[in-house]
Amino acid sequence: MSPEIPAVEPPAAAWPTDPQARVDPPRRNLAVGGAVVLCLTLLGVPLGLLWAAISPATPVIKTADGAVYGQPQPEQPVAADGWFSLLGLAFGVLAGLALWFVLRRRRGPVGLFAVVVGALAAAVVAWQVGRRIGLSTYERLLDTAPAGTAFTKPADLRAGGIELFLGVLPVPHGNLLLPAFGAAVTYTLLAGWSRWPSLRPEPEPDVALLYPAAGYPPGVPGPAPWPAVPGAGGGYPPAGPGVGPAGPFPGAVGPNGFGPESAAPGGVSSGQAGAWPAPPAAPEPPAPGAAEPPRG
């Protein structure tokens, strides 16, 4: 009888670690959110300069009671509100897109809160920066110019601003809320269309993990198959030690069904192909009434 081949224990499974699955501490998330709010707030300065540059100034005339419009129904204040609304909405959409794709590991409620607060702060900064360009010149002419002098008033908002709630809490309203609205809608839509439940990129599943070898944990390949011999229709069966294509060894069975004495030095037999030996038949059951063999 050929000695039994000892069972080979599979190697320990090395489960891959997902770097995206690491949970950052709350302090780091709050620090990143604060940095996002600060950066968006500072971006309100160029936004206000752009708004002041493209918004037309309103012509006014100095009178004894103050400045009055130089035209019965001027369109410049309406244009200033319209330009601020368009620029603010575009700023909010771009801020939501940038935060979604740049801070992929911070996607979630913290990112949404940071982009909304930052866009709202940027709108307030842009309004104050834009309306103050040329404001000192307008106030000086309003105080010193003689009646009948024509000059211009810088752009300002009429459809938005800040009101004090209960005389203490400042509450923005009107088109000052459009940047925050655009950022919130953009970020929420991207989260709704995300294919990852965690909103963060996850690694693609490996094909080897979907079809693991029998008896082995996922990710661990099974034992290598026996090397095939040309013309034999398969590899060497594991019948004993020394099995392999390099030649016959004691206890090995050749590829053609013959023993080691019929194999050539190269491991290929020169005789005719034979069938594999049939397994021993199972013992027949005892006849009815026969004495049972002793147990134990």
PDB file of all heavy atoms in Angstrom, residues 76-109:
ATOM      1  N   GLN A  76     -30.468  99.761 -13.414  1.00  0.00           N
ATOM      2  CA  GLN A  76     -29.184  99.374 -12.835  1.00  0.00           C
ATOM      3  C   GLN A  76     -29.326  98.627 -11.498  1.00  0.00           C
ATOM      4  O   GLN A  76     -28.616  97.627 -11.273  1.00  0.00           O
ATOM      5  CB  GLN A  76     -28.279 100.590 -12.669  1.00  0.00           C
ATOM      6  CG  GLN A  76     -27.765 101.188 -13.959  1.00  0.00           C
ATOM      7  CD  GLN A  76     -28.787 102.079 -14.643  1.00  0.00           C
ATOM      8  OE1 GLN A  76     -29.884 102.312 -14.092  1.00  0.00           O
ATOM      9  NE2 GLN A  76     -28.453 102.603 -15.817  1.00  0.00           N
ATOM     10  N   PRO A  77     -30.203  99.040 -10.580  1.00  0.00           N
ATOM     11  CA  PRO A  77     -30.348  98.266  -9.337  1.00  0.00           C
ATOM     12  C   PRO A  77     -30.854  96.845  -9.570  1.00  0.00           C
ATOM     13  O   PRO A  77     -30.420  95.903  -8.889  1.00  0.00           O
ATOM     14  CB  PRO A  77     -31.344  99.098  -8.529  1.00  0.00           C
ATOM     15  CG  PRO A  77     -31.204 100.480  -9.047  1.00  0.00           C
ATOM     16  CD  PRO A  77     -30.936 100.314 -10.509  1.00  0.00           C
ATOM     17  N   VAL A  78     -31.751  96.693 -10.549  1.00  0.00           N
ATOM     18  CA  VAL A  78     -32.239  95.348 -10.865  1.00  0.00           C
ATOM     19  C   VAL A  78     -31.113  94.498 -11.458  1.00  0.00           C
ATOM     20  O   VAL A  78     -30.980  93.297 -11.160  1.00  0.00           O
ATOM     21  CB  VAL A  78     -33.434  95.432 -11.826  1.00  0.00           C
ATOM     22  CG1 VAL A  78     -33.939  94.038 -12.175  1.00  0.00           C
ATOM     23  CG2 VAL A  78     -34.547  96.264 -11.216  1.00  0.00           C
ATOM     24  N   ALA A  79     -30.292  95.109 -12.299  1.00  0.00           N
ATOM     25  CA  ALA A  79     -29.159  94.371 -12.878  1.00  0.00           C
ATOM     26  C   ALA A  79     -28.161  93.955 -11.807  1.00  0.00           C
ATOM     27  O   ALA A  79     -27.590  92.855 -11.869  1.00  0.00           O
ATOM     28  CB  ALA A  79     -28.479  95.228 -13.946  1.00  0.00           C
ATOM     29  N   ALA A  80     -27.945  94.813 -10.817  1.00  0.00           N
ATOM     30  CA  ALA A  80     -27.023  94.463  -9.734  1.00  0.00           C
ATOM     31  C   ALA A  80     -27.533  93.261  -8.949  1.00  0.00           C
ATOM     32  O   ALA A  80     -26.766  92.344  -8.602  1.00  0.00           O
ATOM     33  CB  ALA A  80     -26.821  95.667  -8.817  1.00  0.00           C
ATOM     34  N   ASP A  81     -28.845  93.245  -8.652  1.00  0.00           N
ATOM     35  CA  ASP A  81     -29.415  92.076  -7.965  1.00  0.00           C
ATOM     36  C   ASP A  81     -29.321  90.822  -8.826  1.00  0.00           C
ATOM     37  O   ASP A  81     -29.039  89.730  -8.317  1.00  0.00           O
ATOM     38  CB  ASP A  81     -30.870  92.355  -7.600  1.00  0.00           C
ATOM     39  CG  ASP A  81     -31.009  93.247  -6.381  1.00  0.00           C
ATOM     40  OD1 ASP A  81     -30.133  93.171  -5.499  1.00  0.00           O
ATOM     41  OD2 ASP A  81     -31.971  94.027  -6.308  1.00  0.00           O
ATOM     42  N   GLY A  82     -29.579  90.974 -10.119  1.00  0.00           N
ATOM     43  CA  GLY A  82     -29.513  89.805 -10.991  1.00  0.00           C
ATOM     44  C   GLY A  82     -28.122  89.232 -11.117  1.00  0.00           C
ATOM     45  O   GLY A  82     -27.936  88.003 -11.060  1.00  0.00           O
ATOM     46  N   TRP A  83     -27.125  90.109 -11.275  1.00  0.00           N
ATOM     47  CA  TRP A  83     -25.746  89.616 -11.369  1.00  0.00           C
ATOM     48  C   TRP A  83     -25.308  88.948 -10.072  1.00  0.00           C
ATOM     49  O   TRP A  83     -24.616  87.919 -10.096  1.00  0.00           O
ATOM     50  CB  TRP A  83     -24.797  90.759 -11.717  1.00  0.00           C
ATOM     51  CG  TRP A  83     -24.749  91.082 -13.169  1.00  0.00           C
ATOM     52  CD1 TRP A  83     -25.140  92.235 -13.780  1.00  0.00           C
ATOM     53  CD2 TRP A  83     -24.286  90.219 -14.210  1.00  0.00           C
ATOM     54  NE1 TRP A  83     -24.957  92.169 -15.130  1.00  0.00           N
ATOM     55  CE2 TRP A  83     -24.418  90.933 -15.427  1.00  0.00           C
ATOM     56  CE3 TRP A  83     -23.772  88.937 -14.243  1.00  0.00           C
ATOM     57  CZ2 TRP A  83     -24.064  90.387 -16.643  1.00  0.00           C
ATOM     58  CZ3 TRP A  83     -23.413  88.390 -15.471  1.00  0.00           C
ATOM     59  CH2 TRP A  83     -23.559  89.103 -16.653  1.00  0.00           C
ATOM     60  N   PHE A  84     -25.689  89.490  -8.938  1.00  0.00           N
ATOM     61  CA  PHE A  84     -25.312  88.859  -7.669  1.00  0.00           C
ATOM     62  C   PHE A  84     -25.978  87.492  -7.516  1.00  0.00           C
ATOM     63  O   PHE A  84     -25.357  86.546  -7.013  1.00  0.00           O
ATOM     64  CB  PHE A  84     -25.696  89.769  -6.497  1.00  0.00           C
ATOM     65  CG  PHE A  84     -25.182  89.280  -5.176  1.00  0.00           C
ATOM     66  CD1 PHE A  84     -23.931  89.669  -4.716  1.00  0.00           C
ATOM     67  CD2 PHE A  84     -25.939  88.429  -4.379  1.00  0.00           C
ATOM     68  CE1 PHE A  84     -23.445  89.219  -3.497  1.00  0.00           C
ATOM     69  CE2 PHE A  84     -25.458  87.974  -3.157  1.00  0.00           C
ATOM     70  CZ  PHE A  84     -24.210  88.367  -2.709  1.00  0.00           C
ATOM     71  N   SER A  85     -27.217  87.374  -7.946  1.00  0.00           N
ATOM     72  CA  SER A  85     -27.907  86.089  -7.843  1.00  0.00           C
ATOM     73  C   SER A  85     -27.248  85.036  -8.723  1.00  0.00           C
ATOM     74  O   SER A  85     -27.029  83.895  -8.291  1.00  0.00           O
ATOM     75  CB  SER A  85     -29.381  86.252  -8.222  1.00  0.00           C
ATOM     76  OG  SER A  85     -30.024  87.183  -7.376  1.00  0.00           O
ATOM     77  N   LEU A  86     -26.926  85.414  -9.959  1.00  0.00           N
ATOM     78  CA  LEU A  86     -26.292  84.453 -10.867  1.00  0.00           C
ATOM     79  C   LEU A  86     -24.905  84.045 -10.383  1.00  0.00           C
ATOM     80  O   LEU A  86     -24.552  82.855 -10.378  1.00  0.00           O
ATOM     81  CB  LEU A  86     -26.218  85.042 -12.274  1.00  0.00           C
ATOM     82  CG  LEU A  86     -27.554  85.238 -12.998  1.00  0.00           C
ATOM     83  CD1 LEU A  86     -27.318  85.891 -14.352  1.00  0.00           C
ATOM     84  CD2 LEU A  86     -28.277  83.913 -13.159  1.00  0.00           C
ATOM     85  N   LEU A  87     -24.108  85.019  -9.984  1.00  0.00           N
ATOM     86  CA  LEU A  87     -22.755  84.704  -9.509  1.00  0.00           C
ATOM     87  C   LEU A  87     -22.802  83.885  -8.222  1.00  0.00           C
ATOM     88  O   LEU A  87     -22.012  82.947  -8.032  1.00  0.00           O
ATOM     89  CB  LEU A  87     -21.970  86.001  -9.291  1.00  0.00           C
ATOM     90  CG  LEU A  87     -21.623  86.803 -10.551  1.00  0.00           C
ATOM     91  CD1 LEU A  87     -20.923  88.105 -10.166  1.00  0.00           C
ATOM     92  CD2 LEU A  87     -20.746  85.985 -11.478  1.00  0.00           C
ATOM     93  N   GLY A  88     -23.711  84.237  -7.320  1.00  0.00           N
ATOM     94  CA  GLY A  88     -23.804  83.489  -6.066  1.00  0.00           C
ATOM     95  C   GLY A  88     -24.263  82.060  -6.275  1.00  0.00           C
ATOM     96  O   GLY A  88     -23.737  81.131  -5.650  1.00  0.00           O
ATOM     97  N   LEU A  89     -25.235  81.853  -7.160  1.00  0.00           N
ATOM     98  CA  LEU A  89     -25.702  80.495  -7.420  1.00  0.00           C
ATOM     99  C   LEU A  89     -24.606  79.659  -8.077  1.00  0.00           C
ATOM    100  O   LEU A  89     -24.407  78.488  -7.721  1.00  0.00           O
ATOM    101  CB  LEU A  89     -26.944  80.544  -8.305  1.00  0.00           C
ATOM    102  CG  LEU A  89     -27.664  79.217  -8.540  1.00  0.00           C
ATOM    103  CD1 LEU A  89     -28.151  78.627  -7.231  1.00  0.00           C
ATOM    104  CD2 LEU A  89     -28.826  79.410  -9.504  1.00  0.00           C
ATOM    105  N   ALA A  90     -23.886  80.246  -9.034  1.00  0.00           N
ATOM    106  CA  ALA A  90     -22.784  79.514  -9.667  1.00  0.00           C
ATOM    107  C   ALA A  90     -21.679  79.208  -8.659  1.00  0.00           C
ATOM    108  O   ALA A  90     -21.073  78.123  -8.690  1.00  0.00           O
ATOM    109  CB  ALA A  90     -22.226  80.321 -10.832  1.00  0.00           C
ATOM    110  N   PHE A  91     -21.407  80.153  -7.766  1.00  0.00           N
ATOM    111  CA  PHE A  91     -20.386  79.914  -6.749  1.00  0.00           C
ATOM    112  C   PHE A  91     -20.781  78.750  -5.842  1.00  0.00           C
ATOM    113  O   PHE A  91     -19.941  77.913  -5.489  1.00  0.00           O
ATOM    114  CB  PHE A  91     -20.193  81.184  -5.923  1.00  0.00           C
ATOM    115  CG  PHE A  91     -19.198  81.044  -4.811  1.00  0.00           C
ATOM    116  CD1 PHE A  91     -17.840  81.198  -5.045  1.00  0.00           C
ATOM    117  CD2 PHE A  91     -19.616  80.751  -3.522  1.00  0.00           C
ATOM    118  CE1 PHE A  91     -16.915  81.062  -4.024  1.00  0.00           C
ATOM    119  CE2 PHE A  91     -18.700  80.607  -2.484  1.00  0.00           C
ATOM    120  CZ  PHE A  91     -17.347  80.767  -2.733  1.00  0.00           C
ATOM    121  N   GLY A  92     -22.037  78.682  -5.447  1.00  0.00           N
ATOM    122  CA  GLY A  92     -22.473  77.580  -4.598  1.00  0.00           C
ATOM    123  C   GLY A  92     -22.381  76.231  -5.285  1.00  0.00           C
ATOM    124  O   GLY A  92     -21.962  75.239  -4.670  1.00  0.00           O
ATOM    125  N   VAL A  93     -22.748  76.177  -6.570  1.00  0.00           N
ATOM    126  CA  VAL A  93     -22.664  74.910  -7.303  1.00  0.00           C
ATOM    127  C   VAL A  93     -21.215  74.458  -7.442  1.00  0.00           C
ATOM    128  O   VAL A  93     -20.883  73.277  -7.219  1.00  0.00           O
ATOM    129  CB  VAL A  93     -23.332  75.060  -8.682  1.00  0.00           C
ATOM    130  CG1 VAL A  93     -23.075  73.831  -9.546  1.00  0.00           C
ATOM    131  CG2 VAL A  93     -24.828  75.289  -8.519  1.00  0.00           C
ATOM    132  N   LEU A  94     -20.320  75.374  -7.785  1.00  0.00           N
ATOM    133  CA  LEU A  94     -18.906  75.013  -7.920  1.00  0.00           C
ATOM    134  C   LEU A  94     -18.304  74.617  -6.578  1.00  0.00           C
ATOM    135  O   LEU A  94     -17.461  73.708  -6.515  1.00  0.00           O
ATOM    136  CB  LEU A  94     -18.132  76.190  -8.524  1.00  0.00           C
ATOM    137  CG  LEU A  94     -18.463  76.540  -9.974  1.00  0.00           C
ATOM    138  CD1 LEU A  94     -17.659  77.753 -10.426  1.00  0.00           C
ATOM    139  CD2 LEU A  94     -18.207  75.352 -10.889  1.00  0.00           C
ATOM    140  N   ALA A  95     -18.715  75.272  -5.505  1.00  0.00           N
ATOM    141  CA  ALA A  95     -18.202  74.905  -4.186  1.00  0.00           C
ATOM    142  C   ALA A  95     -18.643  73.496  -3.800  1.00  0.00           C
ATOM    143  O   ALA A  95     -17.853  72.712  -3.251  1.00  0.00           O
ATOM    144  CB  ALA A  95     -18.674  75.918  -3.144  1.00  0.00           C
ATOM    145  N   GLY A  96     -19.905  73.137  -4.082  1.00  0.00           N
ATOM    146  CA  GLY A  96     -20.365  71.781  -3.792  1.00  0.00           C
ATOM    147  C   GLY A  96     -19.631  70.729  -4.599  1.00  0.00           C
ATOM    148  O   GLY A  96     -19.254  69.678  -4.072  1.00  0.00           O
ATOM    149  N   LEU A  97     -19.399  70.998  -5.884  1.00  0.00           N
ATOM    150  CA  LEU A  97     -18.660  70.048  -6.721  1.00  0.00           C
ATOM    151  C   LEU A  97     -17.219  69.889  -6.250  1.00  0.00           C
ATOM    152  O   LEU A  97     -16.696  68.772  -6.175  1.00  0.00           O
ATOM    153  CB  LEU A  97     -18.688  70.514  -8.178  1.00  0.00           C
ATOM    154  CG  LEU A  97     -20.032  70.430  -8.902  1.00  0.00           C
ATOM    155  CD1 LEU A  97     -19.929  71.088 -10.276  1.00  0.00           C
ATOM    156  CD2 LEU A  97     -20.488  68.985  -9.036  1.00  0.00           C
ATOM    157  N   ALA A  98     -16.569  71.013  -5.950  1.00  0.00           N
ATOM    158  CA  ALA A  98     -15.170  70.950  -5.525  1.00  0.00           C
ATOM    159  C   ALA A  98     -15.024  70.190  -4.215  1.00  0.00           C
ATOM    160  O   ALA A  98     -14.125  69.351  -4.061  1.00  0.00           O
ATOM    161  CB  ALA A  98     -14.609  72.359  -5.393  1.00  0.00           C
ATOM    162  N   LEU A  99     -15.906  70.461  -3.274  1.00  0.00           N
ATOM    163  CA  LEU A  99     -15.793  69.775  -1.981  1.00  0.00           C
ATOM    164  C   LEU A  99     -16.091  68.289  -2.115  1.00  0.00           C
ATOM    165  O   LEU A  99     -15.485  67.464  -1.430  1.00  0.00           O
ATOM    166  CB  LEU A  99     -16.744  70.418  -0.976  1.00  0.00           C
ATOM    167  CG  LEU A  99     -16.587  69.950   0.472  1.00  0.00           C
ATOM    168  CD1 LEU A  99     -15.215  70.344   0.996  1.00  0.00           C
ATOM    169  CD2 LEU A  99     -17.669  70.548   1.355  1.00  0.00           C
ATOM    170  N   TRP A 100     -17.000  67.916  -3.002  1.00  0.00           N
ATOM    171  CA  TRP A 100     -17.340  66.504  -3.179  1.00  0.00           C
ATOM    172  C   TRP A 100     -16.179  65.708  -3.759  1.00  0.00           C
ATOM    173  O   TRP A 100     -15.893  64.592  -3.324  1.00  0.00           O
ATOM    174  CB  TRP A 100     -18.565  66.377  -4.073  1.00  0.00           C
ATOM    175  CG  TRP A 100     -18.951  64.966  -4.375  1.00  0.00           C
ATOM    176  CD1 TRP A 100     -18.585  64.214  -5.455  1.00  0.00           C
ATOM    177  CD2 TRP A 100     -19.769  64.120  -3.564  1.00  0.00           C
ATOM    178  NE1 TRP A 100     -19.130  62.969  -5.385  1.00  0.00           N
ATOM    179  CE2 TRP A 100     -19.865  62.870  -4.231  1.00  0.00           C
ATOM    180  CE3 TRP A 100     -20.433  64.298  -2.361  1.00  0.00           C
ATOM    181  CZ2 TRP A 100     -20.602  61.818  -3.719  1.00  0.00           C
ATOM    182  CZ3 TRP A 100     -21.174  63.240  -1.849  1.00  0.00           C
ATOM    183  CH2 TRP A 100     -21.245  62.015  -2.521  1.00  0.00           C
ATOM    184  N   PHE A 101     -15.486  66.271  -4.752  1.00  0.00           N
ATOM    185  CA  PHE A 101     -14.434  65.518  -5.427  1.00  0.00           C
ATOM    186  C   PHE A 101     -13.072  65.663  -4.750  1.00  0.00           C
ATOM    187  O   PHE A 101     -12.239  64.770  -4.870  1.00  0.00           O
ATOM    188  CB  PHE A 101     -14.323  65.968  -6.887  1.00  0.00           C
ATOM    189  CG  PHE A 101     -15.480  65.530  -7.729  1.00  0.00           C
ATOM    190  CD1 PHE A 101     -16.442  66.438  -8.142  1.00  0.00           C
ATOM    191  CD2 PHE A 101     -15.621  64.206  -8.093  1.00  0.00           C
ATOM    192  CE1 PHE A 101     -17.514  66.041  -8.923  1.00  0.00           C
ATOM    193  CE2 PHE A 101     -16.692  63.789  -8.872  1.00  0.00           C
ATOM    194  CZ  PHE A 101     -17.645  64.715  -9.285  1.00  0.00           C
ATOM    195  N   VAL A 102     -12.835  66.765  -4.057  1.00  0.00           N
ATOM    196  CA  VAL A 102     -11.537  66.959  -3.419  1.00  0.00           C
ATOM    197  C   VAL A 102     -11.479  66.239  -2.081  1.00  0.00           C
ATOM    198  O   VAL A 102     -10.529  65.490  -1.792  1.00  0.00           O
ATOM    199  CB  VAL A 102     -11.239  68.459  -3.252  1.00  0.00           C
ATOM    200  CG1 VAL A 102      -9.973  68.673  -2.434  1.00  0.00           C
ATOM    201  CG2 VAL A 102     -11.088  69.122  -4.615  1.00  0.00           C
ATOM    202  N   LEU A 103     -12.470  66.418  -1.243  1.00  0.00           N
ATOM    203  CA  LEU A 103     -12.500  65.789   0.086  1.00  0.00           C
ATOM    204  C   LEU A 103     -13.384  64.555   0.015  1.00  0.00           C
ATOM    205  O   LEU A 103     -14.485  64.519   0.582  1.00  0.00           O
ATOM    206  CB  LEU A 103     -12.994  66.781   1.134  1.00  0.00           C
ATOM    207  CG  LEU A 103     -12.141  68.041   1.325  1.00  0.00           C
ATOM    208  CD1 LEU A 103     -12.734  68.921   2.402  1.00  0.00           C
ATOM    209  CD2 LEU A 103     -10.706  67.670   1.668  1.00  0.00           C
ATOM    210  N   ARG A 104     -12.912  63.530  -0.665  1.00  0.00           N
ATOM    211  CA  ARG A 104     -13.724  62.324  -0.817  1.00  0.00           C
ATOM    212  C   ARG A 104     -13.833  61.539   0.474  1.00  0.00           C
ATOM    213  O   ARG A 104     -14.824  60.845   0.695  1.00  0.00           O
ATOM    214  CB  ARG A 104     -13.118  61.435  -1.907  1.00  0.00           C
ATOM    215  CG  ARG A 104     -13.126  62.077  -3.279  1.00  0.00           C
ATOM    216  CD  ARG A 104     -12.663  61.116  -4.336  1.00  0.00           C
ATOM    217  NE  ARG A 104     -11.278  60.709  -4.118  1.00  0.00           N
ATOM    218  CZ  ARG A 104     -10.646  59.805  -4.860  1.00  0.00           C
ATOM    219  NH1 ARG A 104     -11.297  59.203  -5.834  1.00  0.00           N
ATOM    220  NH2 ARG A 104      -9.390  59.517  -4.616  1.00  0.00           N
ATOM    221  N   ARG A 105     -12.833  61.632   1.335  1.00  0.00           N
ATOM    222  CA  ARG A 105     -12.881  60.895   2.603  1.00  0.00           C
ATOM    223  C   ARG A 105     -13.704  61.603   3.661  1.00  0.00           C
ATOM    224  O   ARG A 105     -13.937  61.046   4.727  1.00  0.00           O
ATOM    225  CB  ARG A 105     -11.451  60.685   3.126  1.00  0.00           C
ATOM    226  CG  ARG A 105     -10.612  59.760   2.278  1.00  0.00           C
ATOM    227  CD  ARG A 105      -9.265  59.535   2.937  1.00  0.00           C
ATOM    228  NE  ARG A 105      -9.406  59.073   4.307  1.00  0.00           N
ATOM    229  CZ  ARG A 105      -8.394  58.964   5.171  1.00  0.00           C
ATOM    230  NH1 ARG A 105      -7.182  59.319   4.800  1.00  0.00           N
ATOM    231  NH2 ARG A 105      -8.596  58.533   6.383  1.00  0.00           N
ATOM    232  N   ARG A 106     -14.137  62.830   3.392  1.00  0.00           N
ATOM    233  CA  ARG A 106     -14.938  63.576   4.366  1.00  0.00           C
ATOM    234  C   ARG A 106     -16.381  63.740   3.894  1.00  0.00           C
ATOM    235  O   ARG A 106     -17.091  64.612   4.377  1.00  0.00           O
ATOM    236  CB  ARG A 106     -14.328  64.974   4.589  1.00  0.00           C
ATOM    237  CG  ARG A 106     -12.902  64.970   5.104  1.00  0.00           C
ATOM    238  CD  ARG A 106     -12.811  64.365   6.506  1.00  0.00           C
ATOM    239  NE  ARG A 106     -11.519  64.557   7.118  1.00  0.00           N
ATOM    240  CZ  ARG A 106     -10.470  63.812   6.911  1.00  0.00           C
ATOM    241  NH1 ARG A 106     -10.546  62.808   6.067  1.00  0.00           N
ATOM    242  NH2 ARG A 106      -9.322  64.058   7.520  1.00  0.00           N
ATOM    243  N   ARG A 107     -16.811  62.905   2.963  1.00  0.00           N
ATOM    244  CA  ARG A 107     -18.176  63.023   2.478  1.00  0.00           C
ATOM    245  C   ARG A 107     -19.164  62.629   3.569  1.00  0.00           C
ATOM    246  O   ARG A 107     -18.956  61.660   4.284  1.00  0.00           O
ATOM    247  CB  ARG A 107     -18.377  62.130   1.253  1.00  0.00           C
ATOM    248  CG  ARG A 107     -17.603  62.592   0.031  1.00  0.00           C
ATOM    249  CD  ARG A 107     -17.740  61.596  -1.105  1.00  0.00           C
ATOM    250  NE  ARG A 107     -17.004  62.029  -2.285  1.00  0.00           N
ATOM    251  CZ  ARG A 107     -16.858  61.292  -3.381  1.00  0.00           C
ATOM    252  NH1 ARG A 107     -17.414  60.098  -3.444  1.00  0.00           N
ATOM    253  NH2 ARG A 107     -16.163  61.745  -4.404  1.00  0.00           N
ATOM    254  N   GLY A 108     -20.234  63.387   3.635  1.00  0.00           N
ATOM    255  CA  GLY A 108     -21.235  63.097   4.630  1.00  0.00           C
ATOM    256  C   GLY A 108     -21.798  64.372   5.243  1.00  0.00           C
ATOM    257  O   GLY A 108     -21.711  65.464   4.659  1.00  0.00           O
ATOM    258  N   PRO A 109     -22.386  64.275   6.430  1.00  0.00           N
ATOM    259  CA  PRO A 109     -22.996  65.452   7.065  1.00  0.00           C
ATOM    260  C   PRO A 109     -22.003  66.577   7.340  1.00  0.00           C
ATOM    261  O   PRO A 109     -22.355  67.754   7.236  1.00  0.00           O
ATOM    262  CB  PRO A 109     -23.587  64.886   8.365  1.00  0.00           C
ATOM    263  CG  PRO A 109     -23.749  63.430   8.109  1.00  0.00           C
ATOM    264  CD  PRO A 109     -22.639  63.044   7.195  1.00  0.00           C
TER     265      PRO A 109
END
